[in-house]
Amino acid sequence: MSFASTKDLADKIVSFEELGPGLYGYTAEGDPNSGVIVGDDSVLVVDAQATPQMAADVIARIRTVTDKPVKHVVLTHYHAVRVLGASGYQGAQVIASDVARDMIVERGQQDMDSEIGRFPRLFRGKESIPGLTWPDVTFHKKMTLWLGKREVQIIHIGRSHTAGDTVVWLPKEKVCFAGDTVEFGATPYCGDAHFADWPGTLDALRQLGAEKLVPGRGRSLMNAREVEEGISGTAAFTSDLFALAKKAVAAGHDLHRFYQDAMEAMRPKYGQWVIFEHCMPFNVSRSYDEAKGLDKPQIWTAERDVEMWRALEGKTAMKSAEVHS
């Protein structure tokens, strides 16, 4: 059986929206987003895209608004789809949290191999990737960059989508680039998640008081009401799934039984969100592990991806065929 994402081949429409003077959200109908911050003398990009070829499109949009050089790229976390395009920003300094770098050391190659196998459309031009992306600068908890007079705070906000999640916050402008701590109209990918910590991380993000926010996936959120909608929606999805996982473990249900029950329970409320079918087997697997007490997510390898997908989707397809035969 093939991953749901291998059938998702249609190009998405890219939006490049101004959030404020010199601040832009690069979004594409639920594909991974980037952010752009134009300072006095240079540009900072939030999340590099998956390949240098895809980064080139972000750069092309930047060139419609400024000719200043891109001098910094901030990685919100370690996932390949966010970081492997960094070499496309030639000469830029790559910044990540110390925890995100540790995760690249521990599982970056396995993640690269598995993500390219899962979602081929998102890795257009993958042959141009020179290898893993390594940050030039790491920080612990928080750092501040000054792009001339523009203050940019880079904050390791807490464990949620991964252990190393970082947001980029402009306190004067009240604009936040949230990475995958927040999604909007898009299913959170939770294969490396920390479900128990995610609500607290979202509370910390909420306390920043953002009036505009670029989520990891989904369109830019352009006012405080939309920002709260994005935060609350992400909180509801992750909390709903984790509650189901804890219930399944307490009842002694196996992973496949939990997967069937979770799909039935979650689909009516969230099934219309993009990449729902792709994410749910990974989300169910990780939530089940955490509910059983496994704090540190297992490493996803290309082999484990296939084994898990066949175990969950394969059995489901066979049972469906039996019912309809």
Side-chain angles (χ1 to χ4, degrees):
M1 295 191 64
S2 59
F3 299 111
S5 50
T6 60
K7 304 179 184 70
D8 182 2
L9 301 175
D11 287 337
K12 307 300 181 183
I13 298 172
V14 172
S15 299
F16 190 63
E17 294 180 290
E18 188 173 29
L19 310 169
L23 303 173
Y24 301 88
Y26 177 101
T27 67
E29 298 186 293
D31 277 1
N33 295 335
S34 290
V36 174
I37 301 170
V38 182
D40 291 348
D41 301 307
S42 65
V43 176
L44 180 151
V45 171
V46 183
D47 284 332
Q49 296 286 313
T51 69
Q53 177 179 318
M54 299 180 78
D57 189 65
V58 179
I59 295 168
R61 309 283 170 154
I62 293 170
R63 291 293 160 250
T64 67
V65 296
T66 183
D67 61 358
K68 296 173 183 176
V70 178
K71 289 192 176 180
H72 301 92
V73 174
V74 175
L75 309 178
T76 61
H77 58 287
Y78 86 100
H79 282 153
V81 76
R82 300 285 174 183
V83 309
L84 294 181
S87 63
Y89 302 90
Q90 293 186 6
Q93 187 178 68
V94 177
I95 301 168
S97 72
D98 51 4
V99 177
R101 188 188 188 282
D102 289 345
M103 296 187 79
I104 296 171
V105 172
E106 178 188 52
R107 58 184 70 199
Q109 187 62 54
Q110 295 96 320
D111 179 73
M112 175 180 175
D113 295 341
S114 70
E115 285 203 53
I116 289 173
R118 288 184 215 165
F119 226 135
R121 183 177 55 75
L122 294 181
F123 288 88
R124 293 189 297 274
K126 64 181 182 295
E127 63 281 352
S128 63
I129 299 169
L132 294 176
T133 294
W134 295 100
D136 303 300
V137 174
T138 61
F139 67 95
H140 184 65
K141 297 297 185 184
K142 181 178 177 180
M143 69 177 286
T144 300
L145 277 178
W146 290 91
L147 303 182
K149 298 183 181 67
R150 172 158 272 170
E151 181 183 2
V152 181
Q153 295 182 6
I154 307 169
I155 306 167
H156 178 202
I157 197 75
R159 302 199 307 181
S160 52
H161 173 71
T162 72
D165 289 328
T166 294
V167 302
V168 177
W169 168 237
L170 289 91
K172 180 180 178 182
E173 297 85 349
K174 295 190 180 304
V175 173
C176 183
F177 299 89
D180 283 323
T181 60
V182 177
E183 313 290 17
F184 188 74
T187 308
Y189 171 75
C190 308
D192 293 305
H194 292 271
F195 284 91
D197 289 6
W198 208 322
T201 298
L202 290 173
D203 283 342
L205 178 62
R206 186 181 275 118
Q207 288 168 19
L208 294 175
E211 295 178 359
K212 295 180 181 178
L213 182 145
V214 177
R217 293 176 183 265
R219 67 174 176 82
S220 298
L221 307 178
M222 302 301 284
N223 56 57
R225 179 187 59 79
E226 291 187 348
V227 171
E228 178 55 34
E229 186 179 349
I231 294 172
S232 297
T234 305
F237 178 94
T238 53
S239 297
D240 286 355
L241 180 58
F242 194 41
L244 291 168
K246 289 186 285 188
K247 182 178 177 182
V249 169
H253 294 164
D254 66 15
L255 182 61
H256 184 256
R257 166 72 184 275
F258 169 43
Y259 178 60
Q260 291 180 302
D261 291 346
M263 290 297 279
E264 183 178 351
M266 301 285 283
R267 184 177 275 119
K269 188 174 179 180
Y270 305 108
Q272 78 282 6
W273 287 4
V274 296
I275 64 174
F276 178 81
E277 301 290 340
H278 168 68
C279 287
M280 280 299 288
F282 298 93
N283 295 356
V284 163
S285 297
R286 171 56 193 155
S287 63
Y288 187 78
D289 277 353
E290 187 171 338
K292 289 171 63 179
L294 189 65
D295 179 68
K296 189 173 186 178
Q298 296 186 63
I299 296 175
W300 289 102
T301 65
E303 295 76 20
R304 184 180 172 222
D305 289 355
V306 172
E307 180 183 333
M308 176 278 298
W309 194 268
R310 285 176 175 163
L312 298 186
E313 284 288 330
K315 284 184 182 178
T316 300
M318 285 188 287
K319 287 196 175 186
S320 177
E322 289 170 4
V323 168
H324 292 95
S325 62

